[in-house]
Amino acid sequence: MFSFFAFTAADDCLQLHPPRVVVRHGDPVSVNCTVSTNHIGMGWAASVDDVPITTGVQFLTWRVESLTIWDLGPLCYANRPGKPQCMERLSVTVYKPPDSVSVSSVNSTDSMVEGSQYHLKCEIQNIAPVQNLTVKWYKGDTLVHEDRDYVIKVKKPEREKAPVSVSSILLITANRTANRTDDNVQYSCGAELDLGPEGPQPPLAVKSTPLRVTVHYKPTINPIVTDLHVIHGYSAVLNCSAKGNPPPDIVWIFNGRQLPTEDSIYTISKTDDEGNYTCRANNSVGIHEETVRVIVTAAADGCLELHPPRVVVRHGDPVSVNC
């Protein structure tokens, strides 16, 4: 039978080795308590595997083969004749890696439109202790945000050190940049437990599977000539290309009429009129148009000579002609 005074002796008669432990849930743990003064018995008071008062020893070990209690503070004590009882409480942190870490789009869409904002959610299941958790967001391999204001699901104050599930939200904007840096980029989140020098080094971190972001943006037509001179009686080619996601459909239009276009190319025949020919690139996000002015000019007699005027070439052989 023993009793505790309401204070700890000031002469530090007990030393714990180590003074603080960080233990993964379910792992073993052992701590020695050494007394540096005469005593009539020492012991460990704990909610699991306590050690009864023992005489004739200078140290006593508290040992647990599998620690499964989340909140505990084992107390080593020693009774001294005619003096206050020595007491030293052990700091114990029990931790648990998350069952899973995942990232998803709150908007439940497979693609994003350039210039719009979207919310990504990181969900971390059953992690402890949550007060040591930092949620980290990554764009590719680059850390873009750290969050300690995450939402704890169904938190019970009396079980603060027990595992909880949390979620974190990241607001992103699909970039409007020339190189489309957000298209096909991968976002991921990680759960990091920093448990101090006694904990795992480097700090325990579990990362989600990346979420690939597809950005849809309206077409942009690549630079084309604004004026095209065509010699009367000859044909010419109008060529147009554009970038966009989804890949745009490209057609040529003349006087409000869509022209037969093949692979973004329209061939002006000898009978076509001069005027404004419009290239139109269209996808689900938007439309871009550029206009080429076709000018038909009369041919000047003898202004061009070909040397030779006609060639016969075997397939695969080289050929050259001067104009």
Side-chain angles (χ1 to χ4, degrees):
M1 193 71 180
F2 57 89
S3 60
F4 295 130
F5 287 85
F7 57 88
T8 301
D11 54 2
D12 296 326
C13 59
L14 294 176
Q15 289 84 39
L16 302 180
H17 305 280
R20 177 176 182 263
V21 291
V22 176
V23 187
R24 181 167 178 158
H25 185 263
D27 280 2
V29 61
S30 64
V31 177
N32 288 330
C33 179
T34 302
V35 61
S36 58
T37 186
N38 293 328
H39 68 91
I40 56 177
M42 64 183 300
W44 279 93
S47 54
V48 58
D49 291 348
D50 60 341
V51 182
I53 192 166
T54 305
T55 60
V57 296
Q58 291 304 114
F59 72 91
L60 208 57
T61 301
W62 175 69
R63 180 180 291 106
V64 180
E65 294 301 324
S66 177
L67 187 58
T68 57
I69 296 178
W70 296 104
D71 193 0
L72 75 165
L75 183 72
C76 179
Y77 61 91
N79 296 328
R80 300 184 295 177
K83 293 183 179 181
Q85 187 181 53
C86 295
M87 292 181 290
E88 193 71 33
R89 189 172 296 278
L90 174 67
S91 172
V92 180
T93 300
V94 182
Y95 73 92
K96 176 188 175 299
D99 292 341
S100 64
V101 179
S102 61
V103 61
S104 60
S105 172
V106 176
N107 308 80
S108 299
T109 179
D110 294 331
S111 60
M112 302 178 181
V113 176
E114 184 181 37
S116 299
Q117 289 187 325
Y118 297 88
H119 291 89
L120 302 183
K121 177 187 283 189
C122 180
E123 295 188 281
I124 301 169
Q125 303 295 329
N126 296 324
I127 190 170
V130 71
Q131 55 266 36
N132 294 85
L133 170 66
T134 300
V135 180
K136 295 189 173 184
W137 283 94
Y138 299 87
K139 181 179 180 181
D141 294 325
T142 302
L143 177 65
V144 294
H145 181 60
E146 293 187 5
D147 185 11
R148 291 191 58 84
D149 295 325
Y150 37 75
V151 177
I152 301 177
K153 303 177 181 177
V154 198
K155 178 180 176 181
K156 297 181 179 180
E158 68 275 8
R159 299 181 68 244
E160 183 179 358
K161 296 183 179 180
V164 295
S165 296
V166 306
S167 63
S168 171
I169 298 294
L170 178 70
L171 177 65
I172 66 170
T173 302
N175 284 344
R176 302 179 66 89
T177 56
N179 58 357
R180 315 292 180 185
T181 55
D182 271 348
D183 191 28
N184 286 322
V185 75
Q186 292 183 336
Y187 281 90
S188 59
C189 65
E192 182 175 287
L193 280 179
D194 189 351
L195 300 165
E198 298 84 1
Q201 297 299 325
L204 187 147
V206 180
K207 207 171 181 181
S208 72
T209 299
L211 173 70
R212 185 179 295 276
V213 171
T214 300
V215 178
H216 284 181
Y217 50 92
K218 70 178 184 179
T220 300
I221 295 175
N222 295 320
I224 58 177
V225 297
T226 55
D227 291 336
L228 178 64
H229 293 265
V230 180
I231 298 175
H232 181 72
Y234 286 81
S235 62
V237 173
L238 293 175
N239 191 6
C240 180
S241 62
K243 295 178 180 179
N245 195 20
D249 295 321
I250 298 177
V251 296
W252 283 96
I253 299 172
F254 180 66
N255 287 340
R257 177 173 59 90
Q258 181 173 318
L259 303 174
T261 305
E262 184 175 355
D263 295 330
S264 309
I265 295 175
Y266 173 68
T267 301
I268 300 176
S269 68
K270 299 176 182 179
T271 58
D272 280 325
D273 296 325
E274 67 177 4
N276 292 328
Y277 288 75
T278 299
C279 173
R280 175 180 292 170
N282 174 54
N283 67 8
S284 59
V285 183
I287 298 174
H288 185 200
E289 294 182 342
E290 291 290 345
T291 298
V292 176
R293 185 168 63 122
V294 174
I295 303 168
V296 178
T297 59
D301 292 338
C303 66
L304 294 177
E305 292 184 2
L306 302 180
H307 303 280
R310 178 176 179 270
V311 293
V312 177
V313 187
R314 179 173 176 166
H315 182 266
D317 283 0
V319 63
S320 65
V321 177
N322 291 327
C323 178

